[in-house]
Amino acid sequence: MLRLSLLLLLLPCSSYSMLLGWVESPGYPMRYLPHASLNWSRCAPKGQTISIRLIHLDLENSQDCENDAVKILSNGNRIAVLCGKKEYEELQDIVNPLLFSSPGGCLTLLFHSDYSNTKRHTGFKGFYTLQDFNECEDDPNNECTQFCHNFIGGYRCSCRHGYHLAQDKHTCTVNCAKDLSGLKRGDISSPSWPESYAEHANCKYTLSVEENLQLELHFSEGFDVEQRPDGHCVDELRIETHSETLGPFCGNKPPPSPLLTYSSHVQIHFTSDGFGTNKGFNLNFKTRDKVCRSVVTSNSKVTPLKQEYHRGESVTVTCDLGYEVNSEENEAILTQYETTCQSTGVWAPSYPCEIVDCGLPYIGANSILQVVDGQNTKYNSQIKFYCSSEYYTLDGNDTYTCNANGEWTSVDGNAGMPKCNEVCGMPETDPTTTGRILGGSKAKPGEIPWQLLIKSPKRGGASLINDQWAVTAAHVVEGIRADFLELYGGLIDGQSANISPIRITKIITHPSYSTAPPSKTQTNFDNDIALIKFTSKVKLGPNLLPVCLPEVNRGVSENEQGTVSGWGATIVNDRERIKTKFLQYVHIPVYSLAECMNTPYTPSNEAMTFTNNMFCAGGEGMDSCHGDSGGPFVSPFLSSGGPHYLIGIVSWGSNCLEGAGKGKKKGYYTKVDNYVNWIKKTINEN
């Protein structure tokens, strides 16, 4: 009975306290052994706390309690580390007031002893209790704005007379929501006007009248809504219409009076915080006929310009520069329209002025487009064009801007998009030695990258003029179906098996080229030119590049030096004719017109025809030969540097093998500058 009485004296005085149990060290009260330990933990329900009150503590004393110790934690955070011997009064006054959990939290006690005790220590003993947490007194964040009432496990809030609890069950506010729809006159004021308005007010006043009327607000003197020193509103008044929000208003300066809302439906909002003694506001509302405002739509202006317009008045709406009328009725870009003020205070018709969008432009082949302003293609945005590889060059400006007409224009104001054209006539390696087709040395890779080889059905040559077209002699491809033609590019070894043929989709011979009847030898090679179109674009590279076309009517000059190339026949030991395996080339001069007109005869003693569409060239022991037909004659000659132009196509000539490669040779070539217009027109149409 004496022990129980002592325990009751130790309990706290709270009427909500109740004893839950004891906690003590292993072996208490005799002694605890070395390497003893205890891990104890309890948790409190919501709205309550758990505490430990030690009545005895006798442990080995050590520096920072590193030997034997009791550690007490609240929700994992250490609140006490104890060791040594403490008297009962010290425990009660200093230690025990610290040993409690947070509301709804957990309390943990950890005890351990080391390997030895030099003296006998009895350990510790305490009891733990569960107590109600008084949120009203001990929790400054209980959220009740007026009255707080505590109960076991929680609390509740209540309000003074004239207030009610909001939905959060903590905030006391006033009931100041009013629907005044249908009234054409009246007064609205903050709660308790002209006395200080209530804290935590959240008022909404609704006004609604006929569509042809508008509400106007007249504020009385004494406007007083709490405002911070920096001008920002603490409490605020806002006025919302169907099209805009006016405010917030605060301080001592009322809104302009009368305040024209231009609307038949208005909501007035007033909110306050939990502090302050300001008076608030008072206003009188009434109605008047609606008028139209001077702004029909954004990004535009109206003419004639007035502050307001009455029913039946019309204006012209003109969109700002770079904006257009968004009307589904018109596909073309419009920048202005007529509109009329209606009795309801709105303009009809009314179309928005939206920023002009040029859209993504057409990107030609081999072009890369970069939008400078992210993905924005609207007025004043910029785009840049690049070519896809070093083997193309940009024809036109690289930077374009979206103008007010919805068109992309270059920085110098020119319309139209740039193109990526093939780099032509610029081999990466020019020959440094002079070879010969008749017994000459072979070309190196990349020296004549426009040279193409026709293997079948007839052996001949062709020249690459862009990434999808080649030009050759008409007599090389006459009567041949496109899918039967074997055409190769990017090689110097004519017998290479590592390169696939270029697929052909179309062969177009010049319409004025004519062949001889089957029973006669052909003596007229006028207009000996044809175009070859590939199924798809070839990939350009150092060994496959186009040659340049000459200017129209460029002409060919006597003694002009050029280079002719091909896989035609060559001479071995000055007498034997063979088909060369490797690409050959030779530099030869152009002959005079008189020399060219002195044409050879056929075996049947018929003179060959020379026309203005031809020229001839050759040299001592140097000329094109059998199998070179359709191949290129370029100027300037290769070792002189580029760009190189295709001025001739190997067409016909004297017997290049007569005289075993000795003496003056003469070959005839189609004069390409006479056909540049036909070439470009044919390519554009096909």
Side-chain angles (χ1 to χ4, degrees), residues 468 482-483 485 487 500-506 532-536 538:
Q468 201 169 3
D483 53 349
L485 190 69
L487 181 69
S500 300
I502 300 172
R503 296 182 62 188
I504 308 302
T505 185
K506 192 176 292 186
I532 303 171
K533 184 181 181 182
F534 313 148
T535 303
S536 59
V538 295

Side-chain angles (χ1 to χ4, degrees), residues 555-578:
V556 180
S557 305
E558 182 180 352
N559 294 323
E560 180 177 352
Q561 293 286 327
T563 300
V564 63
S565 56
W567 282 273
T570 188
I571 297 298
V572 179
N573 298 326
D574 290 335
R575 64 182 183 276
E576 184 181 356
R577 183 183 80 172
I578 63 169

Side-chain angles (χ1 to χ4, degrees), residues 32 35 59-71 78 81-84 111-117:
Y32 60 83
H35 300 296
L59 306 178
E60 179 183 6
N61 200 11
S62 60
Q63 179 74 28
D64 298 326
C65 298
E66 62 182 11
N67 294 341
D68 303 345
V70 172
K71 297 180 182 179
R78 190 172 65 183
V81 178
L82 305 172
C83 62
F111 166 73
H112 74 271
S113 64
D114 63 358
Y115 62 91
S116 67
N117 282 320

Side-chain angles (χ1 to χ4, degrees), residues 110-425:
L110 303 175
F111 166 73
H112 74 271
S113 64
D114 63 358
Y115 62 91
S116 67
N117 282 320
T118 57
K119 296 181 180 180
R120 177 178 179 273
H121 295 282
T122 55
F124 69 89
K125 185 178 179 69
F127 62 90
Y128 57 94
T129 60
L130 192 66
Q131 295 177 277
D132 177 63
F133 179 70
N134 191 333
E135 290 87 354
C136 294
E137 295 183 4
D138 300 329
D139 184 3
N141 300 316
N142 62 44
E143 298 183 346
C144 289
T145 60
Q146 291 187 3
F147 302 124
C148 179
H149 308 279
N150 187 72
F151 58 84
I152 296 177
Y155 70 101
R156 66 179 179 84
C157 304
S158 66
C159 303
R160 296 193 299 268
H161 179 70
Y163 288 80
H164 67 274
L165 278 177
Q167 290 184 348
D168 63 7
K169 300 300 182 184
H170 294 89
T171 304
C172 291
T173 186
V174 292
N175 186 6
C176 53
K178 294 182 182 180
D179 188 348
L180 305 175
S181 299
L183 296 180
K184 296 183 178 180
R185 289 179 175 274
D187 294 297
I188 296 174
S189 60
S190 54
S192 304
W193 172 269
E195 303 298 328
S196 299
Y197 53 77
E199 65 267 23
H200 300 293
N202 188 4
C203 304
K204 182 174 74 171
Y205 307 94
T206 302
L207 304 176
S208 182
V209 293
E210 290 88 345
E211 288 294 325
N212 64 321
L213 299 177
Q214 67 166 313
L215 289 154
E216 63 179 42
L217 310 179
H218 297 258
F219 286 85
S220 62
E221 295 182 358
F223 186 87
D224 180 23
V225 177
E226 187 177 6
Q227 183 181 42
R228 288 206 300 257
D230 60 5
H232 288 82
C233 294
V234 177
D235 307 333
E236 64 180 37
L237 173 70
R238 285 180 295 107
I239 301 167
E240 295 181 358
T241 70
H242 67 285
S243 60
E244 62 183 335
T245 298
L246 305 175
F249 301 106
C250 59
N252 300 114
K253 185 178 180 180
S257 188
L259 180 63
L260 300 181
T261 65
Y262 299 96
S263 176
S264 55
H265 303 281
V266 173
Q267 283 191 341
I268 300 173
H269 297 268
F270 176 70
T271 58
S272 65
D273 67 354
F275 306 95
T277 58
N278 300 75
K279 291 176 59 177
F281 71 93
N282 180 68
L283 65 86
N284 170 262
F285 66 88
K286 57 184 180 180
T287 59
R288 57 178 287 192
D289 289 339
K290 273 190 176 176
V291 295
C292 294
R293 305 169 80 173
S294 59
V295 176
V296 177
T297 184
S298 57
N299 305 308
S300 69
K301 58 180 178 295
V302 300
T303 51
L305 180 62
K306 298 195 300 183
Q307 185 174 358
E308 59 183 36
Y309 303 81
H310 295 89
R311 181 178 62 179
E313 292 188 288
S314 297
V315 295
T316 299
V317 180
T318 304
C319 296
D320 295 341
L321 183 65
Y323 289 79
E324 62 179 322
V325 178
N326 181 12
S327 171
E328 296 180 358
E329 301 174 2
N330 300 288
E331 295 184 359
I333 291 181
L334 296 179
T335 58
Q336 65 180 29
Y337 63 93
E338 299 289 326
T339 185
T340 302
C341 179
Q342 308 297 308
S343 62
T344 55
V346 298
W347 293 99
S350 178
Y351 307 115
C353 286
E354 296 183 350
I355 192 167
V356 170
D357 192 341
C358 291
L360 287 174
Y362 168 75
I363 304 174
N366 308 307
S367 299
I368 297 175
L369 172 66
Q370 176 192 13
V371 181
V372 177
D373 303 322
Q375 293 301 315
N376 186 5
T377 57
K378 298 180 180 179
Y379 174 62
N380 274 339
S381 297
Q382 281 194 337
I383 56 174
K384 276 184 173 290
F385 284 92
Y386 302 90
C387 291
S388 59
S389 79
E390 60 186 300
Y391 302 109
Y392 294 87
T393 182
L394 196 67
D395 180 11
N397 289 292
D398 63 345
T399 304
Y400 284 71
T401 302
C402 177
N403 68 16
N405 296 323
E407 300 172 342
W408 291 105
T409 56
S410 63
V411 291
D412 56 11
N414 294 329
M417 293 292 103
K419 296 186 299 181
C420 281
N421 295 330
E422 300 88 342
V423 174
C424 67

Side-chain angles (χ1 to χ4, degrees), residues 605-618:
N605 206 31
E606 295 179 89
M608 299 293 292
T609 301
F610 176 77
T611 72
N612 186 48
N613 293 321
M614 307 171 187
F615 69 89
C616 66

